[in-house]
Amino acid sequence: MNLNVTPAIQPIKSSDMNFAREMFAQIAFIRAFEAKAWGLTQVNPPRVMGSMHFCAGQEAVPLGALAALNEQDQIISTYRGHGWALASGMDPRSVMAEICQKAEGINGGRAGSAYLMAPDTRFIGENSIVGAGTTIACGVALSNVAKKNGRVVVVSIGDGAMNQGAVHEALAFAAARKLPVIFVVENNGWSELTATTEMFRIERLAQRANGYGMPSATINGADPMVVRDSFAVAVERARAGDGPSLLECRVPRLWGHYNRDIEHYRSKADKAEAETRDPLTQLMKRLELSGMSGEDLERIKSFQEKSVEEMTEAVMLTDNPDPATAGLHVTKVAARQRRKAPKVLEKKELTFIEAVNAALRSELENDERTLVYGEDVGKGGGIFGGSRNLQKDFGDERVFDTPIAENAILGSAVGAAMSGMKPIVEIMWADFIFVAIDQLINQAANIRYITGGKSSVPLVVRMQQGATPGSCAQHSQCIEAMLAHVPGLKVALAATAHDAYSLLRSAAADPDPCIVIEARALYQIKSTVEVSDVVEEVGKARKRRSGKDATIVTWGSMVGPSLAAAEALSAAGTDVGVLDLRWLNPLDDDALLEAVREANGKVLIVHEAVRTGGFAGEVAMRIRELAPELDAKIARLTTPDTRIPSSPALQAALLPNAGTIEQAVKALL
């Protein structure tokens, strides 16, 4: 059966008549809803600014799918998701208000058309990054499995997204974990402005599911009864614990890619063919053939159009968002309160990596929502031993291995965190984060802000970085400044075994996404770890040494060399302090200014990362802005702007060390 050919008009089964009438009314409503939204952008000047992406021709997919789901099952949609939001039960006025960027919108005007979010409901939200919602759906499903609530997650993508790496990672991850996810490909024949046939060499996109060992089907997505019945099979399979499925829904694209698309690339014949498969007109003809009058059906359409018109005009009269709130809800602002002095419960000598293991064990013991996973994290215990024996002690549902798929690891952590779990995931090398950094920058960091503080993503990402003898240029970069630059992410770097334990536990207790960066060069260094009855708050620096002549501001791998340099200078009569920032975002301004004032404004900033764009520049400007009266004298010592060689001799020529730090302090003074 060629699903891109106009099907013969068939009467509707008597048992489906009530459902078909309801589907006709709802398709008519969604069509009128989007037509009105589109119209708001087409006048001069536009009544609503920005891009909109419409689902005209695809409405039967969300409506049919939702008919096969129960009220607790969850939805993540592509950015062409107005129909999914409405079918999921979102208030149409709130959806329209968000599209119109009004204060009463679902997200208070922060999201707009392509990023509607409501993780506190069954409609987790749209995603405007192509394919990104698939790995998030895996995380929501992980949470459902952990809670044993029987829910199924449906995630929709367009046909073009089937070439996205994130989608392949999601399919592999869902198959490996047998997750209750249904992947929906809404194939309208166009990958944005390019014909899908030019981008694929297979007849049916659903065929790709075979490579992941999951069942699939290609169906007529313009027929709500076919969609409902096909989804019912996939839902039953998912709820029974048999794993994911993929449904390719062939649909017509009636309108352009977005509201300003004049479709210059598309033939008139193609557009005319698509209109013959319009689910609204097809269903209208079938209902007429089954006994309904054309006049009654036109009255239904007119009623829906009038309802949308009245609702939209009322929305346009409502308030715009308050400009004073524009910067709120990037991260949770902790209330200032007196914290009790911690009581040390135990002291023990541990290596840095043993301290990481101890922190992970504490989180698993103290919070049943904690999940620990990543590549080789489960059975192998991590290639550096950070999670050794944890799977044995806590089971493979809480500590487990993943495919080598960083996007799936981070995306699933986002989904699990927003669904009530506390994932702590490992990216084996910091250099590997770049193949999946979308999930941190465009996903995790956005959710609290877009939802106006209603939802959060309390996840922790562990990674290690830095040069060690023999490491290559793809295993040795220091990337803390890149991550600290992103509003919504919190970034910590530990310099000792105690901080490896303490900072990881602080991050796990925080309600926002935290990145904890470890230094591989420190993993086998042993020191005293103090276990107390209080988890320290995020964002606190630590003065490692006081000094009135100058202070060294540093973090991570450079704390040890800085202390050694300060000791050597002290022996020669120069009093030099060392401030370990520990957290770059949020930055402890109070501790920084105290250390700078104590040293009479003489500051050397030291980090292992390269110079240009390094965090030293931020620290220096922060000092200038917060304490201009000091007229501080500031210098920095970093790795030069170069790649990192494997040779130990070449590395030693580039990286700061105790000797070069000592010389830099002398030059500063």
Side-chain angles (χ1 to χ4, degrees), residues 243-273:
S245 304
L246 184 146
L247 291 173
E248 177 192 0
C249 300
R250 295 282 181 90
V251 291
R253 189 167 93 176
L254 301 182
W255 302 348
H257 172 61
Y258 71 114
N259 55 313
R260 298 292 181 187
D261 183 6
I262 61 173
E263 298 190 275
H264 60 283
Y265 50 87
R266 189 177 184 188
S267 70
K268 291 181 180 179
D270 181 83
K271 191 164 186 177
E273 184 280 324

Side-chain angles (χ1 to χ4, degrees), residues 210-281:
N210 296 337
Y212 301 96
M214 70 175 69
S216 65
T218 302
I219 65 172
N220 179 7
D223 185 331
M225 282 70 75
V226 169
V227 174
R228 176 200 61 192
D229 296 344
S230 301
F231 267 85
V233 175
V235 169
E236 182 180 4
R237 170 184 166 81
R239 223 179 299 279
D242 294 330
S245 304
L246 184 146
L247 291 173
E248 177 192 0
C249 300
R250 295 282 181 90
V251 291
R253 189 167 93 176
L254 301 182
W255 302 348
H257 172 61
Y258 71 114
N259 55 313
R260 298 292 181 187
D261 183 6
I262 61 173
E263 298 190 275
H264 60 283
Y265 50 87
R266 189 177 184 188
S267 70
K268 291 181 180 179
D270 181 83
K271 191 164 186 177
E273 184 280 324
E275 288 171 354
T276 66
R277 294 185 286 124
D278 181 347
L280 189 61
T281 57

Side-chain angles (χ1 to χ4, degrees), residues 509-543:
D510 196 80
D512 291 306
C514 293
I515 318 299
V516 179
I517 301 175
E518 301 155 7
R520 182 172 69 261
L522 304 179
Y523 272 166
Q524 299 309 316
I525 297 177
K526 184 174 287 191
S527 60
T528 301
V529 174
E530 295 183 353
V531 178
S532 73
D533 60 345
V534 175
V535 175
E536 69 170 270
E537 63 185 301
V538 161
K540 291 299 179 183
R542 177 165 292 162
K543 185 186 290 186

Side-chain angles (χ1 to χ4, degrees), residues 197-400:
T197 53
E198 296 180 18
M199 295 294 109
F200 295 87
R201 294 293 175 260
I202 52 176
E203 181 181 351
R204 297 186 304 107
L205 302 186
Q207 291 173 250
R208 287 192 172 177
N210 296 337
Y212 301 96
M214 70 175 69
S216 65
T218 302
I219 65 172
N220 179 7
D223 185 331
M225 282 70 75
V226 169
V227 174
R228 176 200 61 192
D229 296 344
S230 301
F231 267 85
V233 175
V235 169
E236 182 180 4
R237 170 184 166 81
R239 223 179 299 279
D242 294 330
S245 304
L246 184 146
L247 291 173
E248 177 192 0
C249 300
R250 295 282 181 90
V251 291
R253 189 167 93 176
L254 301 182
W255 302 348
H257 172 61
Y258 71 114
N259 55 313
R260 298 292 181 187
D261 183 6
I262 61 173
E263 298 190 275
H264 60 283
Y265 50 87
R266 189 177 184 188
S267 70
K268 291 181 180 179
D270 181 83
K271 191 164 186 177
E273 184 280 324
E275 288 171 354
T276 66
R277 294 185 286 124
D278 181 347
L280 189 61
T281 57
Q282 285 286 313
L283 195 53
M284 186 174 186
K285 291 176 182 178
R286 294 182 67 190
L287 285 166
E288 286 186 275
L289 189 61
S290 303
M292 284 192 73
S293 71
E295 291 80 3
D296 285 344
L297 293 167
E298 288 294 344
R299 275 195 291 272
I300 291 172
K301 283 178 61 180
S302 296
F303 175 79
Q304 303 292 31
E305 289 165 0
K306 183 180 179 182
S307 298
V308 168
E309 176 73 21
E310 293 174 350
M311 176 192 71
T312 304
E313 291 306 317
V315 163
M316 291 302 293
L317 295 175
T318 64
D319 293 336
N320 291 321
D322 180 357
T325 67
L328 300 181
H329 306 298
V330 176
T331 57
K332 184 173 183 179
V333 179
R336 288 190 174 274
Q337 56 185 359
R338 292 181 61 88
R339 298 171 67 92
K340 71 174 184 177
K343 178 182 178 182
V344 177
L345 302 176
E346 182 183 7
K347 291 185 178 182
K348 46 190 174 183
E349 293 293 307
L350 297 174
T351 63
F352 190 111
I353 198 64
E354 288 171 341
V356 170
N357 184 275
L360 293 173
R361 180 174 293 277
S362 292
E363 292 306 315
L364 288 162
E365 288 173 343
N366 294 326
D367 193 336
E368 63 182 9
R369 298 172 299 167
T370 300
L371 301 174
V372 175
Y373 62 92
E375 297 163 13
D376 301 319
V377 161
K379 290 181 180 178
I383 65 168
F384 299 106
S387 52
R388 188 164 295 161
N389 295 323
L390 296 182
Q391 186 182 83
K392 181 180 70 175
D393 295 341
F394 296 96
D396 62 6
E397 289 189 355
R398 297 187 67 197
V399 182
F400 55 87

